[in-house]
Amino acid sequence: MPHPVPLDAPEVVEGVVDHLLYVSYDERTVLRLTAVTGDEEGITAVGRALFGVRPGESLRLHGNWVHHPRHGRQFRAEQCERTMPADERAIRFYLGSSMIRGIGPVLASAIVDVFGEQTLKVIDADPQRLLEVHGIGQIRLGRITAAWQEQKAIAEIMVFLQGLQITPALAVKIYTTYADTDDDPMRIVRRTPYRLCRDVRGVGFINADKIALAVGIPKHSDARLQAALLHELDQAGANGHCHLPVRLLIARTRQLLTDDDPASVEILDDAVLRQALAALHGQGEVVIETLPLPVLDGTDALTDTEIAMLPHRHRDETQLASHVRRLLTSTPALSGLAPWAEHVAALTGAETAGLTDEQHKAILTALTRPLSILTGGPGCGKTHTLQTLVDLAEQADAVVALAAPTGKAAKRLEETCGQPAMTVHRLIRPADGDSLFDHASVLETADLVIIDEASMLDLALARRLFAALRDGCHLLLVGDTDQLPSVGPGRVLRDLLDVEGIPRTRLTKVFRQLDEGAAITLNAHRILRGERPREDPKVFWNRPVSSAEDIAERVVDLVCELMPKHFGAGPEDIQVLCPGKKNVAGMTDLNLRLQQRLNPPSDDRPQHYHGGAAFRLGDRVQQVRNNPHRGETGVFNGSSGSISAVDTETHQLTVTFHDGEVATYPFIDLDELVHAYALTVHRSQGSEYPYVIVPMVSAAGMMLLQRNLLYTAVTRARHGVMLIGQTDAVERAIANNRTQRRNTALTHRITHDPAAV
DNA sequence: AAATTATG
């Protein structure tokens, strides 16, 4: 028997670019290719690796075939090499595409008719011979040779950049960024390499610096210092900050520039770096302001602080602030619609018994005030409150729009409120006229917009959301500020709560967990206060284990044997939640171990290998991308279920999700799934499980071991929590509340109207 | 070190 070839091994496709179909803002490129390999002629290829290619270019693509629900079979390119067109057909395309001004398909064909496969050799070595072709005179000859020289220039720059360990893909991108400008790419790379950080996505300070030092740009040049400052500001954003205090920015930049160059410490003093920063400010590349901001030392006293910001973040923050003010002062659309206070008071009827005073207040506020916030931890009745609010509003013929920052949260919201919900991105998508579902119309008519899981709103998304709301439209933000912060910079929900004029309700009464899981809630609050959780014989356990290897082993035993034996909980009731993916006690390894024990290979369990793991009948899996076209009503990022069928004949498997959705996956689409025996805490946000096991290893690193992360993990559990691992990892996580310290000035900007000064 | 959305 021949060794089975994994079906998802990278494949190679060669062809000539016919035309571009689409290029997204983030460089994802879709194009049509005339293939010179395989049996298919016309191929659709997709990928960011394709960014910058032009019609007529010959490509060799490495990647995989995938099936797109709307556009059918297509090639997902991971890598893209430029090749010299080899056969006649390819050369015809190459010359006949718009690459050379003055040569169209007809003339290209004429040239190839004369020289055949030798065409390119002729153009390179003996261009005068082109005059033999009918229709080519000196002018066209000149153009052709010039275009050819350009091709050679590409080759030259590629060799140069790859010599500096710049990947071929990035080298192509650098070249194509400048290819259509009047500048000579090689000249830019050699003379002003730090420009690349700004112009080419994917080139950061580190790469630009490599090039710069190689071409002899002085280490203390202004360009280098400025690039380093911008890099540090950018990095701060990746860590959630909207700005950096200038003093901190200077200190970090100096560290970046002198870390492996101690000799420069004296030269790169404060004054030098401040001067470089001032220059950036002068060029409009950095905004510098002095604002009264809280000192992040726990006292929260306001101190005049000089801060630096990237201009787009400054714009987002100031615009969001002014939209918040606009909303706060607008006349609420629902105000005349119904006697809301009476309606809400009438809710004390029997059928809604259980609605607390705070829930009443939240509902009335949302109906009467243009902007309000509803917060509360898990189990405090946010869902019930929302259901009642939506019903009440709709009974009065108000138009309600529901949305959330993630697909999964939107789906959940839709289910609990019994009416359509969407991602915030879709809600605010501008009307494009020919779209079948014109989401923009929703916001044009909406009277009340409810955003669930609002703690996940980052600065940029919040700005776009607020800007899209018409005057008078009510906005209710619902969330739990103690959960993990947004991926992008900012801490919008917390900042809004710091604005006194914004009405808010905090739901404190916990309904769930009262009897059996009370210790979980109590411990969650201890963690938030920075205290160690207390053991509880029935629901909260702490198992000190010191080596990571032992932790991994114990976790598997707990899931497969100990917890089922002691608590009668089946392994399916237990969710392992890891801080990180890597290391032995991380998500990836634990998934393999748990799969091996809970669902081992066997003859009656067909399977398929994909991405280093077997997808086997019975496996627990989770979807990791929104796919509205999969299954009956779409499958969303975060949904989990189990593999209910594997068909090795038709190369597809079926997943039955916990929400009842049944979806089919061709094997080539298995990128959309991960095993879910163990998940990261981040991915568990918004879900709950009967029992949760959290392996704690200090190897996960301080960036991960945070108070909010532990809080989020613990609050996912309804009946029981097991913290297993290194005691110091638990303690350090509890002590680490740096997520709360994101630098933002949003609160200040809302409360201090510059126009009023 | 982890993670969101979306596009023909």
Side-chain angles (χ1 to χ4, degrees):
Chain A
M1 265 255 304
H3 194 73
V5 179
L7 279 161
D8 58 336
E11 293 182 62
V12 177
V13 160
E14 286 183 52
V16 180
V17 180
D18 197 38
H19 59 278
L20 299 185
L21 288 166
Y22 172 78
V23 180
S24 78
Y25 74 97
D26 65 347
E27 305 183 347
R28 182 174 170 273
T29 301
V30 186
L31 51 77
R32 284 295 282 180
L33 202 68
T34 302
V36 296
T37 54
D39 335 310
E40 281 163 278
E41 270 255 304
I43 285 177
T44 304
V46 193
R48 304 224 343 217
L50 301 176
F51 182 69
V53 307
R54 290 183 285 181
E57 283 190 284
S58 284
L59 307 178
R60 182 181 298 119
L61 306 180
H62 302 256
N64 291 103
W65 287 101
V66 295
H67 181 84
H68 191 283
R70 253 209 322 279
H71 308 295
R73 187 172 145 86
Q74 57 184 224
F75 194 75
R76 189 156 67 210
E78 304 291 345
Q79 251 187 71
C80 168
E81 289 171 47
R82 314 290 157 117
T83 56
M84 271 297 131
D87 70 356
E88 277 193 27
R89 198 177 53 157
I91 297 172
R92 239 176 262 274
F93 264 106
Y94 177 76
L95 286 181
S97 58
S98 46
M99 296 203 92
I100 302 171
R101 253 178 304 142
I103 296 193
V106 177
L107 193 54
S109 270
I111 298 173
V112 180
D113 283 345
V114 176
F115 301 111
E117 291 190 0
Q118 301 303 307
T119 301
L120 296 180
K121 273 190 201 137
V122 171
I123 297 176
D124 185 41
D126 202 1
Q128 289 300 320
R129 284 190 59 198
L130 286 173
L131 295 171
E132 293 168 24
V133 179
H134 181 71
I136 295 193
Q138 285 300 337
I139 294 177
R140 279 186 170 142
L141 175 63
R143 284 190 186 143
I144 296 170
T145 26
W148 187 254
Q149 288 311 314
E150 192 197 331
Q151 292 303 309
K152 292 179 103 171
I154 300 181
E156 183 201 359
I157 197 167
M158 296 290 287
V159 169
F160 170 69
L161 291 172
Q162 286 173 42
L164 300 172
Q165 321 295 316
I166 307 270
T167 63
L170 199 53
V172 171
K173 240 163 94 173
I174 293 171
Y175 179 82
T176 51
T177 301
Y178 300 111
D180 289 331
T181 67
D182 290 334
D183 294 315
D184 169 18
M186 194 61 175
R187 197 181 143 92
I188 292 175
V189 169
R190 287 189 168 279
R191 305 272 288 262
T192 52
Y194 291 110
R195 257 186 73 180
L196 302 182
C197 308
R198 234 182 315 146
D199 300 342
V200 187
R201 188 195 291 258
V203 178
F205 177 76
I206 307 297
N207 276 323
D209 206 37
K210 253 195 284 195
I211 301 173
L213 297 180
V215 298
I217 306 273
K219 269 194 296 192
H220 305 136
S221 66
D222 282 344
R224 182 163 194 252
L225 305 192
Q226 290 177 16
L229 286 161
L230 288 173
H231 175 252
E232 284 299 336
L233 271 183
D234 192 55
Q235 279 300 110
N239 289 322
H241 300 296
C242 302
H243 66 252
L244 274 186
V246 167
R247 283 180 50 192
L248 194 58
L249 172 61
I250 300 274
R252 287 199 185 156
T253 307
R254 176 189 290 121
Q255 196 170 8
L256 171 72
L257 293 173
T258 56
D259 241 4
D260 35 81
D261 179 23
S264 291
V265 171
E266 279 176 28
I267 302 166
L268 297 176
D269 62 8
D270 269 18
V272 171
L273 289 168
R274 277 190 166 267
Q275 210 175 2
L277 186 60
L280 283 171
H281 178 52
Q283 296 153 24
E285 292 184 70
V286 168
V287 177
I288 295 178
E289 285 173 303
T290 299
L291 300 178
L293 295 173
V295 190
L296 297 181
D297 61 357
T299 66
D300 277 359
L302 294 186
T303 311
D304 277 345
T305 315
E306 191 185 19
I307 61 168
M309 287 182 98
L310 292 175
H312 71 272
R313 289 207 187 106
H314 182 259
R315 192 199 60 207
D316 282 345
E317 201 168 76
T318 50
Q319 287 184 3
L320 174 57
S322 73
H323 282 297
V324 170
R325 283 197 306 264
R326 170 175 69 88
L327 236 59
L328 281 172
T329 54
S330 64
T331 312
L334 294 177
S335 57
L337 206 61
W340 294 116
E342 287 169 33
H343 282 198
V344 176
L347 284 176
T348 23
E351 80 278 15
T352 54
L355 216 56
T356 61
D357 285 353
E358 35 186 38
Q359 289 172 332
H360 274 134
K361 181 190 154 220
I363 293 171
L364 187 58
T365 311
L367 291 167
T368 52
R369 304 290 297 270
L371 173 60
S372 59
I373 301 174
L374 173 61
T375 62
C380 61
K382 277 184 297 197
T383 303
H384 183 42
T385 311
L386 288 188
Q387 284 167 334
T388 317
L389 168 63
V390 171
D391 284 349
L392 212 55
E394 297 201 321
Q395 277 164 28
D397 287 330
V399 180
V400 182
L402 303 175
T406 68
K408 172 88 181 298
K411 181 99 190 277
R412 233 177 17 242
L413 187 60
E414 180 167 306
E415 280 159 9
T416 54
C417 291
Q419 70 144 302
M422 58 192 104
T423 61
V424 175
H425 300 78
R426 274 186 201 279
L427 179 74
I428 61 182
R429 187 165 65 176
D432 56 5
D434 43 48
S435 167
L436 200 55
F437 304 99
D438 194 349
H439 295 293
S441 61
V442 177
L443 279 190
E444 275 162 26
T445 54
D447 303 305
L448 168 61
V449 171
I450 300 175
I451 306 292
D452 198 8
E453 300 289 356
S455 59
M456 295 195 238
L457 287 174
D458 64 20
L459 181 63
L461 187 59
R463 189 217 94 214
R464 289 164 59 203
L465 169 66
F466 276 72
L469 296 177
R470 67 191 174 97
D471 279 347
C473 180
H474 294 237
L475 175 64
L476 171 64
L477 300 175
V478 184
D480 178 359
T481 46
D482 296 317
Q483 287 203 32
L484 295 164
S486 59
V487 170
R491 29 163 251 175
V492 175
L493 189 60
R494 276 168 173 272
D495 285 347
L496 292 176
L497 286 166
D498 284 342
V499 178
E500 279 171 19
I502 301 177
R504 81 284 311 277
T505 311
R506 181 172 173 77
L507 299 181
T508 49
K509 185 161 187 269
V510 178
F511 295 90
R512 208 180 303 154
Q513 300 179 346
L514 263 189
D515 32 356
E516 41 192 352
I520 297 176
T521 313
L522 289 176
N523 275 331
H525 286 112
R526 284 203 186 91
I527 291 170
L528 287 181
R529 291 195 302 267
E531 298 164 21
R532 290 175 57 181
R534 286 198 200 136
E535 287 250 323
D536 180 289
K538 285 199 296 233
V539 293
F540 206 101
W541 310 278
N542 231 323
R543 289 287 170 279
V545 178
S546 47
S547 96
E549 178 65 32
D550 289 348
I551 296 172
E553 252 172 54
R554 291 286 301 277
V555 166
V556 176
D557 286 341
L558 280 166
V559 175
C560 305
E561 286 166 27
L562 298 176
M563 305 227 345
K565 204 158 86 196
H566 288 297
F567 305 103
E572 66 281 356
D573 298 324
I574 306 169
Q575 183 64 55
V576 177
L577 296 180
C578 313
K581 292 190 196 177
K582 293 174 190 161
N583 83 57
V584 253
M587 166 180 158
T588 312
D589 275 23
L590 282 178
N591 260 324
L592 290 173
R593 282 177 195 249
L594 286 162
Q595 182 196 33
Q596 184 63 32
R597 279 282 284 279
L598 290 168
N599 194 33
S602 101
D603 286 346
D604 56 357
R605 280 195 281 259
Q607 60 176 36
H608 175 74
Y609 271 97
H610 183 92
F615 286 82
R616 189 173 295 145
L617 182 65
D619 269 345
R620 219 157 126 175
V621 289
Q622 188 179 65
Q623 172 85 6
V624 293
R625 270 205 290 279
N626 287 347
N627 190 339
H629 307 290
R630 176 132 4 246
E632 219 19 57
T633 61
V635 179
F636 295 88
N637 193 352
S639 298
S640 42
S642 60
I643 298 179
S644 51
V646 176
D647 189 336
T648 49
E649 292 288 311
T650 59
H651 282 209
Q652 55 186 25
L653 55 77
T654 306
V655 176
T656 302
F657 287 93
H658 295 139
D659 63 8
E661 181 71 62
V662 177
T664 309
Y665 294 76
F667 286 164
I668 50 177
D669 286 354
L670 286 176
D671 278 357
E672 288 184 18
L673 293 176
V674 295
H675 287 90
Y677 298 102
L679 291 175
T680 60
V681 177
H682 279 88
R683 304 219 101 250
S684 76
Q685 260 197 112
S687 302
E688 287 188 348
Y689 315 92
Y691 293 88
V692 163
I693 300 179
V694 191
M696 299 290 290
V697 217
S698 2
M702 288 321 282
M703 293 306 274
L704 269 185
L705 293 178
Q706 303 203 17
R707 193 183 289 178
N708 303 56
L709 184 114
L710 194 57
Y711 168 83
T712 304
V714 163
T715 51
R716 298 309 94 202
R718 281 196 298 266
H719 303 312
V721 174
M722 166 76 73
L723 298 184
I724 175 165
Q726 297 157 353
T727 334
D728 66 313
V730 177
E731 277 170 9
R732 285 163 62 194
I734 291 167
N736 181 6
N737 65 343
R738 55 177 285 168
T739 38
Q740 290 163 33
R741 315 221 159 150
R742 288 185 163 193
N743 298 324
T744 99
L746 182 59
T747 307
H748 169 82
R749 292 188 203 280
I750 295 170
T751 48
H752 295 79
D753 184 353
V757 179

